Amino acid sequence: MIIGTEEVQAINSFYKLESLKEIYGLIWLFVPVLTLILGITIGVLVIVWLEREISAAIQQRVGPEYAGPLGILQALADGTKLLFKEDLLPSRGDIHLFSVGPFIAVISILLSYLVIPFGYRLVLADLRIGVSLWISISSIAPIGLLISGYGSNNKYSFSGGLRAAAQSISYEIPLTLCVLSISLLSNSSSTVDIVEAQSKYGFEGWNLWRQPIGFIVFLISSLAECERLPFDLPEAEEELVAGYQTEYSGIKYGLFYVASYLNLLVSSLFVTVLYLGGWNLFIPYISIPEPFGINGVFGITIGIFITLAKAYLFLFISIATRWTLPRMRMDQLLNLGWKFLLPISLGNLLLTTSFQLVSL
């Protein structure tokens, strides 16, 4: 069979069209990821600026409050200084472990954003094990801190890494038990299903009212997971000369702060998703014409704004707590986690399970 010139041109045009479709699909595959990363970066910058403004107001510090319009120049100056500082390496440390530690901490926290719904159908990966994946991934970040402390070959750094690992284990268990209680109430571990289960009854259906004990335990445990005052024992400056960060400088030193603020933001978003109804406000779903309904552009935009507003409310509480309460001792921190929060969270889980069995 002889193929003519027209048939050859048709076949070539077909393959070109298929190639363009593949390239187009590949581009659109990266668009949501890049958009999420850009949004996260802006969110972290806002948190840094908010913390400086709130701390300046509480402690009457002149620099962060008056350097530039609204104190923006102070944060930009500090970030630029870290970016251009010399990257020093310890002469007797393990260079490979020393270099990979900060990246493990940052990447593990970034992966947690994959399962966070910022609005209706606005989630990068709606997985059935969404909250379980977040708990698993968040446990990797302290390993990066431990690797950093060990690779520094410094007793203060290694002690800070060990403190980070001990603190993470102590508060990860109560945090997990609180999340399991929420999953039982929602009959799902998907973050989207958990939000939609709360939206059926409006404001009264928020898990904040159905799980008040779990909410308080989750709040305390999430602050400890983020190593925020009064739980910043891994980097207690008065005791450990900045802990696992002692030997770091430049951009690697800045990555630890980026990881800290990323973890704080993701914890705030999960508080919103698990207890505060996510993108829902106060009323259950009602029939509204497009584009003002929940499926429309306006509705999705409002949902994103509501989610971020709730998250930044928790951020304000955590920032104000940092500049108000004194630091705990290490024995007090471990006693609070193992002897107080763990029994309470376990009892809360048993009560939730009993309630679910009775209601069947």
Side-chain angles (χ1 to χ4, degrees):
M1 180 179 178
I2 300 176
I3 301 177
T5 305
E6 295 181 356
E7 287 81 358
V8 173
Q9 291 178 352
I11 293 173
N12 291 334
S13 62
F14 173 77
Y15 280 114
K16 288 181 180 180
L17 182 62
E18 289 298 320
S19 301
L20 288 175
K21 286 183 179 179
E22 292 180 0
I23 295 173
Y24 183 75
L26 188 63
I27 292 174
W28 276 104
L29 181 65
F30 287 100
V31 166
V33 178
L34 295 176
T35 304
L36 180 62
I37 293 176
L38 179 61
I40 293 170
T41 304
I42 296 174
V44 169
L45 293 176
V46 173
I47 295 173
V48 174
W49 173 77
L50 273 178
E51 178 145 36
R52 291 179 177 276
E53 286 295 300
I54 294 172
S55 65
I58 293 176
Q59 298 186 339
Q60 296 181 353
R61 301 169 64 186
V62 176
E65 196 169 6
Y66 299 105
L70 300 176
I72 296 175
L73 292 181
Q74 183 74 29
L76 292 177
D78 290 342
T80 305
K81 178 183 68 175
L82 287 176
L83 188 62
F84 289 99
K85 258 191 172 183
E86 183 181 0
D87 184 18
L88 300 177
L89 299 174
S91 58
R92 298 185 179 181
D94 191 318
I95 304 303
H96 299 290
L97 294 179
F98 182 83
S99 300
V100 79
F103 294 98
I104 291 177
V106 172
I107 293 173
S108 61
I109 298 172
L110 277 175
L111 292 176
S112 303
Y113 288 87
L114 297 176
V115 295
I116 296 178
F118 291 89
Y120 182 73
R121 294 182 180 178
L122 199 62
V123 58
L124 207 57
D126 182 14
L127 304 177
R128 294 183 179 180
I129 56 168
V131 289
S132 302
L133 180 67
W134 167 58
I135 292 173
S136 303
I137 292 176
S138 63
S139 304
I140 301 176
I143 298 177
L145 305 184
L146 182 60
I147 290 174
S148 301
Y150 178 78
S152 299
N153 195 18
N154 180 302
K155 61 181 180 180
Y156 299 108
S157 301
F158 187 51
S159 179
L162 290 176
R163 284 189 176 192
Q167 181 171 323
S168 175
I169 294 172
S170 301
Y171 287 87
E172 193 76 32
I173 299 175
L175 190 75
T176 304
L177 294 176
C178 293
V179 172
L180 286 177
S181 301
I182 297 297
S183 298
L184 280 173
L185 284 179
S186 307
N187 295 319
S188 176
S189 294
S190 169
T191 51
V192 176
D193 292 342
I194 290 173
V195 174
E196 291 182 345
Q198 299 176 72
S199 66
K200 296 178 182 178
Y201 310 103
F203 180 67
E204 298 177 357
W206 288 4
N207 289 327
L208 170 65
W209 316 118
R210 304 168 70 188
Q211 289 278 307
I213 298 176
F215 173 73
I216 296 174
V217 174
F218 188 92
L219 203 68
I220 298 173
S221 300
S222 60
L223 285 177
E225 281 289 306
C226 297
E227 300 171 9
R228 303 282 297 181
L229 268 168
F231 305 105
D232 66 333
L233 272 299
E235 50 175 319
E237 296 88 350
E238 294 86 350
E239 306 170 23
L240 299 176
V241 200
Y244 56 84
Q245 303 175 357
T246 302
E247 299 292 340
Y248 284 88
S249 64
I251 188 62
K252 291 177 183 175
Y253 182 81
L255 283 176
F256 284 117
Y257 280 97
V258 171
S260 174
Y261 286 114
L262 284 174
N263 201 9
L264 182 61
L265 180 58
V266 77
S267 298
S268 305
L269 290 169
F270 269 102
V271 168
T272 302
V273 169
L274 296 177
Y275 291 97
L276 302 180
W279 62 81
N280 300 294
L281 194 54
F282 302 114
I283 56 176
Y285 292 159
I286 57 178
S287 179
I288 302 176
E290 302 293 345
F292 299 99
I294 194 169
N295 295 313
V297 176
F298 183 76
I300 292 175
T301 305
I302 292 297
I304 297 174
F305 176 79
I306 293 171
T307 302
L308 294 178
K310 294 176 181 178
Y312 275 92
L313 174 63
F314 172 78
L315 285 169
F316 174 79
I317 295 173
S318 63
I319 292 172
T321 302
R322 175 181 179 181
W323 299 102
T324 304
L325 298 180
R327 179 183 291 115
M328 302 176 67
R329 296 197 314 266
M330 193 64 191
D331 60 322
Q332 294 174 336
L333 178 110
L334 296 178
N335 287 335
L336 177 65
W338 289 106
K339 296 181 180 180
F340 187 73
L341 295 183
L342 178 58
I344 290 178
S345 58
L346 185 58
N348 181 64
L349 177 61
L350 293 176
L351 285 176
T352 306
T353 308
S354 304
F355 175 78
Q356 290 293 96
L357 291 175
V358 170
S359 61
L360 290 177

